[in-house]
Each structure stands twice: as structure tokens, then as C-alpha cells.
Amino acid sequence: MPSPTPSIVIIGAGLSGLACARILTKAGVPFTIHEASDAVGGRVRSDRVDGFTLDRGFQVMLPSYPEARRVLDYDGLNLRPLYRGSDVHYKHQTHRFADPLHHPIDALKNINDNFIPWRDKWHSLLLLKEVTSTYGIERRIEEMETEDYLQDFGFSESMIDRFFRPFFGGVFLEKDLRTSARMFLFLYSMFLRSGAALPAHGMQAIPDQLAVALPPGSLHLNSPVAAVSAGEVVLSNGQVIQAKHIVIATSEEVAHRLLPDLGEKLVPGRSTTCMYFSTDQKLPKEAILHLDGDGRGPVNNACVISNASPHLASAGQHLISTSIIGAPSSNELEGVVREQMIDWFGPGAREWKHLRTYQIRNAQPESRQLKLGLKSLNNVLAPGLYRCGDYVEDVSINGALLSGRHAAEAVLASLA
Ligand SMILES: Cc1cc2nc3c(=O)[nH]c(=O)nc-3n(C[C@H](O)[C@H](O)[C@H](O)COP(=O)(O)OP(=O)(O)OC[C@H]3O[C@@H](n4cnc5c(N)ncnc54)[C@H](O)[C@@H]3O)c2cc1C
């Protein structure tokens, strides 16, 4: 017997589902959310392990994201900034790239470092000016790959290999820089406008903040949806829910599973591996991104994230996050990562305690990153059937939040 239930069902309580729910709540429209896992957040989750807060994969919040500014209470998140720049490790030496607008003294100190050719220093300033002075610059260029854009802009191979490839490789989770230059420009402008930050108590604070405002009884955790058809949602436990409006707020792969007739090609997503270590040794004091300028790996980027927020580590300890692009399966991985960290941070890294390793497959969808286009994907699939998620808008926290808003607006328009 189908149960009499609210007429709007949201499937998935990641950022997009929560953003959709937020708008419906504000409009006073009842709904339920069915989430497969044991908490909200989707790909933005954190775990408490031995007094440390470990995000499931290294990720950062860019406070200038326009939709995030609109939706989130930044004071409540207690955002802690990362250093605006990077330490690039190249041939056993460390080279500081400092944002000249925010760390002028560091930038001046390193101005004669020949690691970056003068021509690239000049082009970096030109790009900085272009990106920060043109709002929506990503919409003004043709679709092309990021690497082609950087070459056309005038950057040398050394600059691309030593800085852009590891920095944006870590953001895109691919080092060919085949991701759309529009995505590159959007994200670079966000980085340049207000840097990157971490909530003081971990990334999970973001979905948790959105979930606090959900109407009592609307959120159903551990409630996976098995099938969707016109006007009906079937839970894995067999329960059938009648729904006039169904919003699929899952990842791209799950949306394809629930909607086999979607008619869009599903490309395998991008993966990443994040290995956490702790130590009470003395480490550099800055919350700066360390980059693999050699391109040898396996670690592409690392950060002493407890320098951004001591709340992430237990008392007297540092928390170090190391990120690898892809999901290599090897028993030797920890040893190889440790060797690389000895090169970057000194012999003490031999004694660091390994806390946990996360392998995240399908961390980011591939297709939406290759071509960003100028419009989001269609979010109304059929009367009463909607979708949202990063793959519908753009692959970021901002894109997920924005797509949730668009889906809610489509539902409200249909109700009106
Ligand atoms: C390791 C990593 C690093 C990242 N780094 C950054 C970064 O630095 N900055 C940035 O802006 N973005 C970053 N991102 C991207 C960003 O996290 C995502 O774009 C965003 O969280 C996607 O949200 P979503 O709601 O679209 O999807 P999801 O988070 O995937 O949410 C989908 C939800 O649906 C649920 N679900 C799945 N199947 C079912 C089912 N059958 N029934 C019910 N529920 C179901 C899932 O459990 C999940 O909660 C990163 C992502 C990862 C994984």
C-alpha cells in the first residue's frame, strides 16, 4: 500500500539537496529528504578520529563563491584562511609563490628567485589583473582546455609544470589540465578575490549548518532510494512514496542509475586519495599549500591544516593532509608518501603517525568539467521530475549550492 506522504521528495542530502531544501523551507512548502548515508553532506563529510577531525578528502571553501555567500553564515562556520600562495617543492628545494597583493613582503623577498622566469612573473601579474578586474571573465572566453589557455596567455612550460599543473591539478583532480578554461578562470578569480579557507571544525560544518534549519521530521537518514518513476519513489526497504515532485539531488552516477533513460553519456568520474598524518614535532607555522613542482608524486599537494585551525588536531599535535590524484592501490603507498614528505618537511616525517587514508572514487564528475558551457544542464527532466547536483551546474561547492536553488525554484514555479 503506498503511504500518504508529502508531495515533494528530495533524494540526497549533499549540498545540492540541502540547498534545495533550504529554499523550500523558506517558502513554507513541506517536503521530505531521503538520504542513503548516516549523515548529511554527501561529498563534504568529516570524521572524528583519535581527537582529530579528518575531512573525507582535502577540500577547501572559497569564501568569495557567490552562492555560498548568499546561503552560508560564514561567522558561524568560523572560517580560517589559508596562506594566499604556495610552497613549491622542486629538486629538493622549496620556492615560495606569494600573492603580491596579500603578502607583498614575501613576494618581494622571492622576486629574484630564478625558479620562475621573469616572463612568467610578468604574465602572472597580467593574469591577476585580468581575472580580478573582469567580473565573470569565464563567460567571456571560448571553450578550451586550461593548458591551452595558459599557453596562449604566454606562460612557459616551466611555469605551467611547476605551479599551475600541481595547483590546479589538485583542484581539478587531473593534471593534464584538460578541464575547461572557463572553470579555471572562475575558480582562479575566486581564489584571488578572497583566498581559500577551512571551517574551524572541519568541512562537515558546512552541510551541518544547512541541516540545522530543516523542518523537524523532514530528514530521513539511512534511507536509500532504490527506484524512481513518475510520481513514485521506492525506498530500498520496499516502502513506496507517492510524490508529485521528485528532486534527484545525488551524484551524477547515482542519478544515471535511478534514471536509466536519462539519455546522457556517463563518463567515469575523477578520483583522489587523501592520507592523514599527525605529529608533535615542530613544523612550518603557515597554513600554506605545499605543491609537487617536480611532478613525480605520488603526493600532489599537502598542507599542515592544523596551522589553519588547531581545533582540527588533538592538543599539542599537528594534522597533515596529503593528497594524491587518482586512487592507486598499493601496500607501499604509505612508505612512498612518507619518503616524499621527508623530502618536503625533513627527516622527522619518518616518525609521523599515519592516521587514516581515504580513497575517494568519483570525487568529481568528469563530463561537466570538460565543457562548462554558458548554461547549466536542464534541471526539469519531466513534469514533476527535477535534478540538481554539481554535475548540473559546475563542479564545486558553489555549483552544488546553486543547482539546489535552481531546482527548488523550478519546483516552486511549477507549484505556482
Ligand atoms: C575529495 C574532494 C575534494 C573536493 N574539493 C573541493 C574544493 O576544494 N572546493 C570545492 O568547491 N569543491 C570541492 N569538491 C567538490 C564538492 O565537494 C562537490 O561538488 C559537492 O559537494 C557536490 O555536492 P552534491 O550535492 O552535488 O553531491 P553529493 O555531495 O554527492 O550529494 C549526493 C547525496 O546523495 C546521497 N545519495 C546517493 N545515492 C542515494 C540514494 N540512492 N538514495 C538517497 N540518497 C542518495 C549521497 O549519500 C549524498 O549525500 C571536492 C569533492 C571531493 C570529493
Side-chain angles (χ1 to χ4, degrees), residues 148-282:
D148 292 339
Y149 178 84
L150 292 170
Q151 282 168 350
D152 290 355
F153 199 88
F155 286 107
S156 70
E157 282 305 315
S158 322
M159 176 70 178
I160 294 175
D161 286 345
R162 294 172 193 176
F163 174 69
F164 286 109
R165 205 176 294 289
F167 189 95
F168 279 93
V171 175
F172 298 149
L173 305 184
E174 58 90 6
K175 287 182 73 170
D176 299 335
L177 301 184
R178 61 179 181 274
T179 298
S180 166
R182 287 186 173 154
M183 195 61 198
F184 161 74
L185 286 171
F186 169 66
L187 291 171
Y188 202 32
S189 70
M190 296 294 114
F191 274 111
L192 290 175
R193 286 203 167 88
S194 61
L198 289 172
H201 292 276
M203 292 296 285
Q204 176 91 47
I206 297 175
D208 283 353
Q209 186 181 84
L210 291 169
V212 163
L214 291 174
S218 58
L219 175 64
H220 300 260
L221 297 173
N222 301 307
S223 182
V225 168
V228 170
S229 59
E232 219 171 68
V233 169
V234 183
L235 302 183
S236 292
N237 65 8
Q239 187 188 346
V240 178
I241 302 174
Q242 305 290 318
K244 281 205 182 107
H245 303 272
I246 301 168
V247 181
I248 299 179
T250 65
S251 63
E252 187 180 30
E253 323 73 81
V254 176
H256 275 254
R257 213 163 59 224
L258 293 175
L259 300 168
D261 300 332
L262 199 53
E264 289 166 10
K265 195 165 167 243
L266 179 62
V267 186
R270 300 175 181 177
S271 307
T272 182
T273 302
C274 180
M275 202 176 274
Y276 284 103
F277 295 92
S278 67
T279 181
D280 60 1
Q281 296 160 7
K282 206 162 177 256

Side-chain angles (χ1 to χ4, degrees), residues 11-18 34-37 39-44 56-62 65 170-171 173 187 191 203 223-226 236 249-252 254 257-258 272 360 362-365 388-391 394-400 403:
I11 303 171
L15 294 184
S16 62
L18 291 170
H34 291 270
E35 163 57 46
S37 70
V40 298
R43 276 170 275 161
V44 184
R56 295 186 184 173
F58 177 68
Q59 57 179 305
V60 291
M61 167 72 194
L62 307 186
Y65 277 153
V171 175
L173 305 184
L187 291 171
F191 274 111
M203 292 296 285
S223 182
V225 168
S236 292
T250 65
S251 63
E252 187 180 30
V254 176
R257 213 163 59 224
L258 293 175
T272 182
I360 303 149
N362 291 317
Q364 296 184 7
C388 56
D390 57 355
Y391 72 99
D394 65 69
V395 180
S396 67
I397 289 169
N398 191 71
S403 77

